[in-house]
């Protein structure tokens, strides 16, 4: 097993559907330009309320990826 060096990137994803979709949206967007994404950690969860209901979710996360 080789030694890895990781870099962290902070992102915030959003979704009107769920927390999970907000995370997936952030990771999918990062995947378009960042190679070797290995893991993520949720650091904060927020939401926006309209008329007493959750209108959308915002999830801040850190993703770790290996450097070439």
């Amino acid at each position: 097993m080789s030694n890895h060096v990781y870099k962290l990137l902070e992102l915030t994803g959003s979704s009107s559907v769920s927390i999970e979709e907000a995370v997936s949206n952030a990771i999918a967007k990062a995947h378009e330009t960042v190679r070797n994404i290995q893991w993520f950690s949720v650091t904060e969860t927020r939401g926006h309320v309209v008329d007493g209901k959750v209108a959308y979710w915002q999830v801040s996360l850190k993703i770790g990826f290996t450097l070439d």
Side-chain angles (χ1 to χ4, degrees), residues 4-66:
H4 295 288
V5 174
Y6 294 92
K7 183 166 178 75
L8 292 176
L9 184 63
E10 292 187 66
L11 306 169
T12 300
S14 61
S15 168
S16 61
V17 176
S18 68
I19 294 169
E20 291 85 0
E21 185 173 278
V23 170
S24 293
N25 290 344
I27 292 172
K29 187 64 174 175
H31 178 71
E32 292 177 9
T33 57
V34 177
R35 293 187 315 274
N36 304 320
I37 296 173
Q38 300 293 319
W39 54 269
F40 72 93
S41 174
V42 173
T43 58
E44 186 176 7
T45 305
R46 296 177 300 281
H48 182 69
V49 177
V50 175
D51 295 328
K53 296 181 182 179
V54 175
Y56 68 90
W57 296 94
Q58 285 186 332
V59 180
S60 294
L61 56 142
K62 292 182 182 180
I63 61 167
F65 57 97
T66 54

